[in-house]
Amino acid sequence: MIGTMVLKFCLCKRNMNMDEKTIKKDLAIVPRSIMQNNDSEYMRLVSEISGLWEKAREKAASVVNTELLEASWETGRYIVEYEQHGNVKAEYGKQLLTNLSKDLTRLRGKGYSRSNLFNMRLFYVRFPKIQTVSGQLTWSHYLELLKCDDPLEMQFYMKECIKEGWKVRELKRQINSSLFQRLALSTDKEGVLALANEGHQIQSATDIIRDPYVLEFTGLPRQKRYKEKDLEVALKAHMEQFLLELGRGFAFIGRQYIIPIGSRQFKVDLVFYHAILKCYVLIDLKRAEIKHGDIGQMNLYLNYFKNEICQPDDNPPVGIVLGARKDELLMEYALQGIDNQLFAARYQLYLPNREELQSQLDNLLNNSYK
């Protein structure tokens, strides 16, 4: 009986922390004959017990996760120390993990494949101090982190994972989109080190700008002709992925936001509010190259928001003109003399070449030592 209850408890995937409305809906199917006289008190009882078991489930899952991470780390340590003590001759070194896999599988069952043991060994090598292993991440998170060859890159993604609460799928996407390299190339050597040690810190408008923005999730082919509206609709349809790409702090307000000025009406493609910077962020999409007139138009939108929309406790709005291409010199002159926080940035509909970006980053770091 107890074993059955524990098994059901461990396998339960339903979120038991239900609000009163959910409880009321579920209890609607309970026959009145077995309901208590005071319905609200009964629902409170159900809610309290449900919340109790939800907390217990979360605590149990956290304990199990920590134990599994420590066991994986210790396994890696045993293997490395066995090798370092000279127990593995050179000609048999490659066979160690294979033999271990066979013997452990025979003794303990599944879970001890050669690749798993290899990753446990690598886990210990990359994190030689158990104190640096965070129980907030799962083994699946660490498997993705171990794919990063650059220690700075791995450290950055680990910090962001913990800070942002990324799921494994979100972590994989950020690594595949070369987020670290894209952010690192916009700074200097000290900035790269800070990025790795502290994660991405947002203190000013420049900290939320990425160039390029990677929008591969829209599904718009690179060569196909598409309209700006197609891109806008695709971003709205994939808002969760777009918010992940934009970064921490963005809250979606609306699309085609109407700006009435005199007898005319203008529309901003996308409007967000940034919770950390406490300001509105306006994004205008351009299918092709950004023109100097696009900068002037965004400046108009920012002036309107600053005078008509922003509240006294809001910071000045930020404008981003997002296009497929931009002429750096033209944008430099177009943005010169503008007091508003206005940026021109590129987007691309495909994942960047990770090797090329890493090569550029290596050059940046190497040149800084000269």
Side-chain angles (χ1 to χ4, degrees):
M1 178 69 175
I2 297 296
T4 303
M5 289 178 63
V6 171
L7 181 61
K8 289 181 178 179
F9 168 70
C10 292
L11 296 177
C12 177
K13 293 184 179 180
R14 183 180 177 187
N15 186 352
M16 298 168 66
N17 191 16
M18 301 178 288
D19 57 24
E20 190 167 313
K21 184 184 290 185
T22 306
I23 294 170
K24 191 177 292 184
K25 181 180 176 182
D26 287 349
L27 290 178
I29 62 174
V30 179
R32 297 291 300 177
S33 59
I34 65 171
M35 287 286 287
Q36 303 298 307
N37 293 330
N38 191 332
D39 288 356
S40 62
E41 287 296 323
Y42 181 72
M43 283 188 290
R44 187 176 295 112
L45 173 65
V46 173
S47 178
E48 288 175 349
I49 295 176
S50 173
L52 170 70
W53 280 91
E54 173 63 13
K55 290 179 182 177
R57 185 186 68 84
E58 291 176 354
K59 187 181 293 186
S62 176
V63 171
V64 169
N65 181 61
T66 300
E67 290 295 328
L68 288 175
L69 288 176
E70 289 183 2
S72 297
W73 186 88
E74 288 287 358
T75 300
R77 181 173 70 86
Y78 288 154
I79 294 172
V80 170
E81 289 181 352
Y82 183 85
E83 293 171 336
Q84 290 176 343
H85 290 161
N87 291 306
V88 182
K89 295 181 180 179
E91 61 268 28
Y92 300 118
K94 294 181 180 180
Q95 286 295 316
L96 175 61
L97 295 183
T98 300
N99 294 337
L100 266 179
S101 173
K102 291 178 180 178
D103 290 332
L104 289 173
T105 299
R106 177 173 53 81
L107 291 171
R108 308 295 304 173
K110 294 181 179 179
Y112 304 95
S113 65
R114 188 181 187 281
S115 60
N116 274 352
L117 293 173
F118 175 85
N119 286 324
M120 291 176 194
R121 182 188 182 281
L122 185 60
F123 185 39
Y124 172 76
V125 171
R126 295 282 178 85
F127 297 90
K129 295 182 179 179
I130 188 63
Q131 294 83 359
T132 60
V133 175
S134 171
Q136 293 177 255
L137 303 181
T138 66
W139 177 240
S140 296
H141 282 102
Y142 281 106
L143 288 178
E144 296 302 321
L145 292 173
L146 292 176
K147 296 176 183 177
C148 300
D149 295 326
D150 185 342
L152 294 178
E153 180 185 12
M154 184 182 71
Q155 196 169 342
F156 164 77
Y157 286 121
M158 181 178 175
K159 295 283 185 183
E160 287 296 296
C161 240
I162 295 171
K163 189 189 304 181
E164 298 299 316
W166 286 342
K167 297 176 182 176
V168 177
R169 173 177 55 82
E170 294 167 333
L171 171 60
K172 290 175 70 173
R173 191 270 165 186
Q174 297 296 57
I175 293 176
N176 289 336
S177 70
S178 304
L179 175 61
F180 173 71
Q181 287 82 1
R182 286 187 286 143
L183 291 174
L185 285 171
S186 65
T187 184
D188 53 15
K189 179 199 167 192
E190 287 72 22
V192 174
L193 295 177
L195 198 62
N197 293 324
E198 303 168 17
H200 187 208
Q201 301 296 310
I202 298 176
Q203 299 174 338
S204 66
T206 55
D207 295 327
I208 66 173
I209 305 302
R210 295 174 184 175
D211 195 2
Y213 287 84
V214 177
L215 310 178
E216 89 292 347
F217 51 82
T218 60
L220 296 173
R222 273 186 270 176
Q223 304 302 326
K224 177 185 174 183
R225 290 189 63 83
Y226 58 91
K227 299 178 181 178
E228 289 168 9
K229 184 179 179 181
D230 298 328
L231 178 58
E232 180 189 326
V233 170
L235 291 176
K236 176 67 167 57
H238 299 85
M239 186 53 66
E240 184 179 350
Q241 292 96 318
F242 188 36
L243 288 172
L244 181 66
E245 172 62 14
L246 289 174
R248 183 167 76 259
F250 280 87
F252 180 58
I253 301 297
R255 59 182 283 256
Q256 292 298 301
Y257 192 98
I258 297 176
I259 295 180
I261 300 179
S263 60
R264 301 184 62 183
Q265 280 192 346
F266 301 89
K267 293 181 180 179
V268 186
D269 290 333
L270 300 167
V271 177
F272 298 84
Y273 191 83
H274 202 279
I276 299 174
L277 297 179
K278 298 189 182 306
C279 68
Y280 286 96
V281 180
L282 284 55
I283 298 180
D284 229 13
L285 303 170
K286 302 300 171 185
R287 187 186 66 81
E289 184 175 340
I290 302 173
K291 300 175 182 177
H292 60 87
D294 301 326
I295 301 300
Q297 188 175 35
M298 176 58 79
N299 196 44
L300 172 73
Y301 299 161
L302 292 175
N303 286 331
Y304 175 85
F305 259 74
K306 193 160 53 175
N307 290 286
E308 304 291 340
I309 305 298
C310 292
Q311 299 299 307
D313 57 344
D314 285 329
N315 288 317
V318 174
I320 304 173
V321 181
L322 197 55
R325 299 182 301 281
K326 69 173 183 177
D327 184 305
E328 295 288 351
L329 185 59
L330 179 65
M331 290 300 100
E332 181 181 334
Y333 283 121
L335 291 165
Q336 209 168 73
I338 292 180
D339 295 328
N340 288 318
Q341 300 182 100
L342 205 165
F343 303 89
R346 296 170 299 121
Y347 69 83
Q348 61 187 52
L349 301 175
Y350 54 93
L351 292 172
N353 187 308
R354 182 184 175 85
E355 287 71 25
E356 288 181 8
L357 288 178
Q358 186 61 47
S359 176
Q360 294 175 36
L361 180 57
D362 291 341
N363 288 335
L364 170 69
L365 294 174
N366 292 333
N367 290 336
S368 65
Y369 288 104
K370 296 178 181 179

